[in-house]
Amino acid sequence: MSDVLPPSFFRRPAEVVALDLLGRWLVRDVARRRRVVRIVETEAYLGAADAASHARGGLRSRRNDSLYLPGGHAYVYLVYGVHHCFNVVTGARGMADAVLIRAGEPIEGEEEMRRDRHRGGRPEPGDVAGGPGKLCQALAIDLELDGAPLSGPELSLAPGEPVAAERVCRGSRIGVGYAGEAAEWPLRFAERDNRHVSRPWPWKRGGR
DNA sequence: CGGAAGATCCACT
DNA sequence: GTGGATCTTCCGA
């Protein structure tokens, strides 16, 4: 019994991994202190065929090079020159499929996570890791972890408890309006009614 | 070589 | 609801 997800977990289609990552634990070690969040929101990106992906049309550069690693590695990049985003690479080497981790809920080390998020006022209860940039701040994830294996001492994924299918919401991805038809692909997954999810669920209208 | 846009977050109106 | 921060990359001239 291992407490780290095996490579085989990641070498599946991004869409499958994105769903299966909900409820799993993202474990980060900073200065020998453990920080853990439970993943509650993800998005799949489908490599060359996906106009929203950094690998669209087979694009490759220094920045996105680690996207082409085999499943089970980290792809970290800087957005808007300001914030980091953390992705789990999936599939086989060279496919450039990945899952963006958009939000998590604190499980362990919440105090340290809040401290690292301090810039700009005190976070609300649901605001420790409720967004891709926030999550990276909370877990002290930056470009140094770009390309790192997800089974290492610094960063790893633990089995946690997968979220049952009926508790998962699915919809289109956030912030990819430039991607044409791909912008509407239903590749965003989140745990229903979880307060840490980064944005109110569109389908929630009418429901409650 | 210059301009534009981006998988975001926060302060301000 | 709107705009600024700030850096990498892409594309057209």
Side-chain angles (χ1 to χ4, degrees):
Chain A
M1 168 182 116
S2 163
D3 51 3
V4 175
L5 293 173
S8 58
F9 179 93
F10 302 100
R11 313 237 164 124
R12 297 180 291 163
E15 196 174 333
V16 172
V17 178
L19 173 61
D20 202 359
L21 276 173
L22 296 177
R24 310 296 190 166
W25 286 13
L26 181 57
V27 181
R28 171 82 169 114
D29 199 289
V30 182
R32 293 184 292 277
R33 298 289 297 249
R34 238 164 69 111
R35 303 182 188 187
V36 181
V37 299
R38 178 175 171 273
I39 296 171
V40 300
E41 182 181 354
T42 60
E43 283 177 1
Y45 286 83
L46 307 185
D50 181 357
S53 167
H54 289 171
R56 57 186 167 278
L59 289 179
R60 189 164 183 171
S61 66
R62 178 169 310 242
R63 179 210 200 194
N64 71 2
D65 204 40
S66 50
L67 253 183
Y68 292 83
L69 290 170
H73 292 261
Y75 168 47
V76 182
Y77 67 92
L78 198 56
V79 258
Y80 298 103
V82 181
H83 299 289
H84 296 283
C85 286
F86 167 68
N87 295 253
V88 171
V89 177
T90 67
R93 177 187 298 276
M95 290 182 64
D97 284 3
V99 175
L100 170 69
I101 308 302
R102 285 195 57 90
E105 64 175 274
I107 297 290
E108 187 180 327
E110 182 167 351
E111 201 174 311
E112 284 95 343
M113 294 195 268
R114 284 185 181 282
R115 193 184 343 143
D116 280 358
R117 279 232 353 108
H118 119 79
R119 317 153 213 194
R122 60 221 165 205
E124 298 286 310
D127 211 25
V128 177
K134 297 176 186 176
L135 180 136
C136 284
Q137 266 184 262
L139 294 178
I141 292 174
D142 61 20
L143 294 178
E144 286 196 5
L145 287 170
D146 185 36
L150 295 176
S151 53
E154 292 192 304
L155 190 63
S156 63
L157 280 148
E161 181 86 17
V163 174
E166 61 267 21
R167 301 202 49 233
V168 174
C169 286
R170 184 169 181 167
S172 54
R173 296 171 291 182
I174 302 293
V176 297
Y178 58 88
E181 182 201 324
E184 293 166 28
W185 295 352
L187 296 178
R188 178 182 178 219
F189 302 87
E191 182 177 38
R192 180 200 298 255
D193 292 335
N194 189 296
R195 316 183 310 206
H196 298 83
V197 167
S198 65
R199 301 204 194 182
W201 207 258
W203 319 337
K204 248 176 115 177
R205 284 174 295 202
R208 199 214 158 284

